[in-house]
Amino acid sequence: MSAIEGLETAHHHDTEHEHHHEAPNFWQKYIFSEDHKVIAKQYLITGILWAVIGISMSIVFRIQLGFQDANLSWLKPVLGGWISDSGKLDPNFYLALVTMHGTIMVFFVLTAGLSGTFSNFLIPLQIGARDMASGFMNMLSYWFFFLASVIMFASLFIQTGPAAGGWVIYPPLSALPQAHPGSGLGMTLWLASMAFFIVSQLLGGINYITTVINLRTRGMSFDRLPLTIWAFLITAVLGLISFPVLLSSVLLLIFDRHFGTSFYLSDIYINGEALPNVGGSPILFQHLFWFLGHPEVYIVLLPGLGITSEIIATNSRKPIFGYRAMIASMLGIAFLAFIVWAHHMFVTGMNPFLGSVFMFLTLIIAVPSAVKGFNYITTLWRGNIVFTPGMLFSIGLVSLFVSGGLTGIILGNSALDIQLHDTYFVVAHFHLVMGAASAFGLFAGVYHWFPKMFGRMMNNSLGQIHFWLTFIGIYLVFIPMHYVGIAGFPRRYYQFTSYDFTNKFMDMNMFISVAAIFTFVAQFIFLWNFFYSIFKGRKAPQNPWRSNTLEWTAPINPGHGNWEGELPAVYRWSYDYSKPGAKEDFIPQNIPYSQTLESNFPHENELIATEKAIESQNFNDQFKNAH
C-alpha cells in the first residue's frame, strides 16, 4: 500500500472515530435511536400503553358478563355509539372487544412488550457486547411495531368497528367482508397491522440470534451464558421459524377477501345466494394459524422463564439448580412446540388416530416443563431468600406456570378437550399459564432491571403490595372460571340469560367480574411506582442485587457502547453464589479464578492457566472505541 493510500485510510478512520463521538441530537438519541437500551425502553413504554388499553377492554366485557342488567351509559363518552340509548353494549362491539383484547395482549404486550424489551436490553449487556449486531435493523424493528400499533389503534375508531372474529380470526367469518360489521374495514386493518408486526418480529429475531452467536465477549462461551440469554435465543429461533407461517396465512386471507381467491372458502351461501368460491378449506387456515399459535405460547413464556431463572438464583443466593437441564428443557419445549399445534383442533373432525398422536406429543411437554418447575423449587430450597418485588413475581410465575400447566394436561387429552373446547375452562387455562405467568415475568424483569434501565430504584413496599394484590386477584378470577367452564359456559357469548343452566352461575360470573376489576385497579400501583420512580426514585447503586452477570459491571447509566474502555472478559459462569470460602456471597463473571483461590474447586484451579488466553483473545468489539 502506498504512503498516500495509508494516509487516506488513516484519515478515514480518524473521521469515523470523530463521527462516533459526535453528540446525538434529541431525535437520534430518543426517537430514532440505534442504542439497544433506548429501543428496549421504547418497546416497554409502548407495551405498557397497550396493556392499559387491552386490559381496559377486558374490564368492559367482564362488566357486561357479570352485570348483564347494568346501565352502561357512563361509558358513552368513551365508547360513543357502541352504547345504546338504553345503556346497553352493542353485541357486535362486544365481539370486537374480545378480539382486540386477545390480539393486543398476546402480540403487542406479551410478545413485543416482554421479548422486545428484555431481549433488546439484556442481550448486549449480558454477553458483553457494545450493541446489537445491527443497530439500524434494531431501530427498524421497533418502528415496524410502532406502525403496526398505529394501524391497530386506528381500527378502534372506524364506523363499523374493529375486527370482530376472535383473536384467532377464523375464516369464513374473517374472509367475507359482508359477513359481519367486524369483518369489514376493521378486519382489513387488523390484517395489515399484523403483517407489519410480523416483519418487526422477524427483524428483531434475526438480530438477537446474530448478536448472541457473533458478539459474545472474551471467555463468554455458550456454557457460561446466563439462562436469560438462552431463553431469548431460543425464543428468537421459535419466532423466526413460526412467524413466516402466520404471515403466509394472513396474506392468503387478504387474497380471499380482496382478490377473489378461494384458499379458505368453499360452498358459502349468504342470504340464500351462493358465492362463486369453490375448493378452499377454512381448516387450512387453522393449521397455518396454530403452527404459529402454539409456538407463540412459548414465545411469550420462555423469556419470562429465563428472567425468572436469573432472579430466583440471584435472590436465593444460590447457584441455579440444574443449569444444563434448564437449557435442555427449553430446547425440548421449543422442539415439541412445533409438533403439537393440532391439539387446538381436536373438534375439527380430524382422524382419531391423528388426534391421539397429537395428544401423546402434547402430554410429553409436561416432562421438560416439570424439569423447570422442580429446578426452580430446588433452587429456592434452603436458600437465603431475599423477597424483592422481582423475586416475588418470579415465584408467582412458577406458581402460575405449575397450576396453569396442570389444566393443560386435562385439555391435552382429546376425549376431555372435545367436551371442554370453547368453554371458559380453556380461557382460564391459557390465561393462567400463558397470560398471567408471562405478565409476572414482565413485572419481575421490570422490578429487577429498573435500576440498570433508569439509574433509579422503584419503591419496594409498593412493589410488594402490587404483587400480593395481583397474585390474589389472578387466582380469584381464573380458578372460579375453570369451574364455570366445566359447567358448560361457552366463551365469546354476549350474555347467558337465555339458558337456564347458565342462570344458576350468574353469582359466580359476577364474582369473577368483581375480582377482575379489583386486579385491574391494583395495576395502577405499578403504573404510579414505575413512572414516578423514573424521575423521583432513589438513585441506584452500581449493583443493587449483588448479582454476577455482566450488566452490573457497566456504569450505572451506561451510554451507547455500554462500557467505557475495553469490554469485560468472562472467566466463570453466572451463578457463583454462596461459594464456600468466598469473601462475598457472589462472584461476578469478570472475576478471574486466580483472584478467588480460597473458594475455587479443584477443576477451577486448572482453569487459571486459560486466563491469559482469554485476555488476549481476539474478538469482535463493534465500536473499537466506546461511544
Side-chain angles (χ1 to χ4, degrees):
M1 183 174 67
S2 70
I4 294 175
E5 289 173 332
L7 287 171
E8 287 175 346
T9 304
H11 175 73
H12 170 74
H13 285 308
D14 287 343
T15 305
E16 189 176 48
H17 182 80
E18 288 169 12
H19 173 71
H20 282 318
H21 284 76
E22 286 177 6
N25 59 37
F26 174 83
W27 291 93
Q28 292 170 323
K29 187 172 182 180
Y30 296 108
I31 309 300
F32 299 108
S33 174
E34 294 185 15
D35 184 346
H36 69 100
K37 300 180 293 298
V38 175
I39 294 170
K41 294 173 190 175
Q42 289 174 326
Y43 268 110
L44 179 59
I45 301 296
T46 310
I48 288 173
L49 294 175
W50 271 122
V52 172
I53 295 170
I55 299 173
S56 298
M57 290 176 172
S58 71
I59 296 304
V60 173
F61 62 72
R62 275 314 320 178
I63 291 172
Q64 166 62 31
L65 292 172
F67 307 93
Q68 301 199 357
D69 295 327
N71 188 316
L72 301 182
S73 297
W74 56 278
L75 283 172
K76 206 169 180 62
V78 179
L79 299 182
W82 299 113
I83 302 292
S84 69
D85 293 337
S86 59
K88 298 300 179 184
L89 183 68
D90 185 283
N92 290 325
F93 192 66
Y94 172 86
L95 294 176
L97 287 174
V98 173
T99 302
M100 297 302 287
H101 165 74
T103 302
I104 289 167
M105 298 307 294
V106 171
F107 294 114
F108 289 6
V109 178
L110 297 178
T111 301
L114 176 54
S115 183
T117 297
F118 291 104
S119 294
N120 266 302
F121 190 76
L122 292 179
I123 286 176
L125 283 168
Q126 290 197 338
I127 69 171
R130 297 288 184 196
D131 205 326
M132 286 290 179
S134 171
F136 180 72
M137 187 183 290
N138 208 20
M139 179 190 73
L140 278 183
S141 172
Y142 171 74
W143 285 104
F144 270 110
F145 168 53
F146 185 81
L147 177 59
S149 297
V150 169
I151 295 171
M152 193 68 77
F153 188 70
S155 75
L156 300 175
F157 299 96
I158 61 176
Q159 186 174 2
T160 53
W167 78 277
V168 293
I169 59 160
Y170 284 166
L173 186 61
S174 60
L176 299 169
Q178 67 271 43
H180 181 268
S183 298
L185 178 58
M187 184 64 69
T188 300
L189 293 174
W190 190 100
L191 294 169
S193 173
M194 287 307 301
F196 286 116
F197 175 81
I198 293 165
V199 172
S200 161
Q201 295 307 298
L202 294 176
L203 289 171
I206 292 169
N207 225 353
Y208 305 152
I209 295 167
T210 307
T211 305
V212 173
I213 292 174
N214 290 336
L215 296 182
R216 287 167 288 122
T217 190
R218 297 165 292 174
M220 182 62 86
S221 55
F222 275 95
D223 61 353
R224 288 174 176 168
L225 286 175
L227 288 172
T228 41
I229 303 302
W230 275 105
F232 300 148
L233 176 62
I234 294 168
T235 299
V237 172
L238 281 171
L240 208 58
I241 297 172
S242 58
F243 270 117
V245 180
L246 179 63
L247 181 59
S248 69
S249 69
V250 165
L251 292 176
L252 295 182
L253 190 51
I254 291 172
F255 290 160
D256 274 11
R257 287 173 57 82
H258 300 292
F259 301 107
T261 57
S262 300
F263 293 107
Y264 306 131
L265 298 174
S266 184
D267 305 314
I268 302 290
Y269 292 83
I270 294 183
N271 295 327
E273 180 183 349
L275 298 186
N277 306 86
V278 176
S281 171
I283 303 301
L284 169 63
F285 178 87
Q286 292 194 31
H287 281 291
L288 294 173
F289 181 89
W290 288 115
F291 190 81
L292 166 278
H294 198 76
E296 172 67 13
V297 172
Y298 299 105
I299 287 170
V300 305
L301 190 54
L302 282 178
L305 293 173
I307 287 167
T308 293
S309 300
E310 177 64 29
I311 295 175
I312 284 181
T314 298
N315 291 290
S316 296
R317 314 312 294 169
K318 280 180 62 181
I320 192 76
F321 184 86
Y323 173 81
R324 294 180 191 278
M326 294 290 258
I327 296 169
S329 67
M330 286 192 285
L331 291 169
I333 287 171
F335 172 73
L336 291 169
F338 283 108
I339 53 175
V340 298
W341 77 89
H343 68 216
H344 297 272
M345 301 168 58
F346 284 142
V347 297
T348 59
M350 71 165 62
N351 185 302
F353 174 75
L354 185 61
S356 68
V357 171
F358 278 105
M359 179 182 77
F360 174 72
L361 294 170
T362 299
L363 297 180
I364 288 177
I365 289 190
V367 176
S369 300
V371 168
K372 294 197 76 65
F374 285 122
N375 283 8
Y376 288 135
I377 293 168
T378 312
T379 303
L380 290 164
W381 177 251
R382 302 186 72 177
N384 185 17
I385 299 175
V386 183
F387 288 107
T388 65
M391 182 62 159
L392 289 171
F393 274 102
S394 295
I395 297 171
L397 183 151
V398 176
S399 170
L400 294 165
F401 181 59
V402 172
S403 56
L406 289 174
T407 57
I409 295 174
I410 295 170
L411 291 171
N413 186 314
S414 57
L416 295 173
D417 179 78
I418 288 169
Q419 306 304 318
L420 294 170
H421 192 80
D422 267 349
T423 69
Y424 270 92
F425 190 92
V426 178
V427 177
H429 157 71
F430 75 73
H431 274 82
L432 278 185
V433 78
M434 177 184 169
S438 302
F440 270 44
L442 176 61
F443 285 133
V446 170
Y447 280 111
H448 189 76
W449 280 287
F450 188 91
K452 182 54 62 179
M453 283 185 173
F454 299 103
R456 295 183 180 271
M457 304 293 290
M458 293 182 75
N459 185 294
N460 266 7
S461 298
L462 287 179
Q464 290 167 344
I465 294 169
H466 172 226
F467 166 75
W468 285 112
L469 295 180
T470 305
F471 184 72
I472 293 167
I474 289 292
Y475 275 117
L476 288 179
V477 171
F478 295 114
I479 293 299
M481 199 177 283
H482 285 89
Y483 186 66
V484 167
I486 292 172
F489 268 59
R491 58 193 292 201
R492 304 192 185 99
Y493 273 39
Y494 169 71
Q495 59 184 14
F496 297 106
T497 52
S498 305
Y499 306 99
D500 290 336
F501 82 95
T502 55
N503 279 328
K504 297 175 184 176
F505 293 93
M506 285 306 301
D507 288 346
M508 188 170 288
N509 237 335
M510 188 182 300
F511 175 83
I512 293 170
S513 293
V514 171
I517 295 168
F518 166 81
T519 309
F520 173 65
V521 171
Q523 304 320 300
F524 287 94
I525 299 172
F526 168 78
L527 291 175
W528 165 261
N529 196 359
F530 180 83
F531 287 107
Y532 179 83
S533 298
I534 288 175
F535 303 102
K536 300 287 187 179
R538 177 170 57 88
K539 288 188 176 180
Q542 177 78 22
N543 188 355
W545 317 122
R546 297 161 62 83
S547 189
N548 289 340
T549 42
L550 288 182
E551 71 270 26
W552 304 108
T553 66
I556 295 173
N557 287 305
H560 193 188
N562 296 333
W563 286 270
E564 298 172 0
E566 280 198 354
L567 293 172
V570 168
Y571 302 95
R572 60 181 74 229
W573 76 328
S574 56
Y575 299 105
D576 269 343
Y577 292 105
S578 301
K579 284 188 76 174
K583 297 174 184 176
E584 300 267 8
D585 68 348
F586 72 109
I587 307 176
Q589 284 188 282
N590 64 328
I591 302 299
Y593 286 114
S594 58
Q595 296 181 19
T596 57
L597 296 174
E598 68 281 351
S599 63
N600 287 350
F601 298 125
H603 74 278
E604 292 173 340
N605 284 323
E606 298 171 8
L607 295 173
I608 293 174
T610 66
E611 290 176 4
K612 287 187 177 179
I614 290 173
E615 289 165 7
S616 61
Q617 182 179 333
N618 184 24
F619 70 106
N620 185 358
D621 184 346
Q622 298 148 283
F623 293 3
K624 304 298 181 187
N625 294 286
H627 278 202

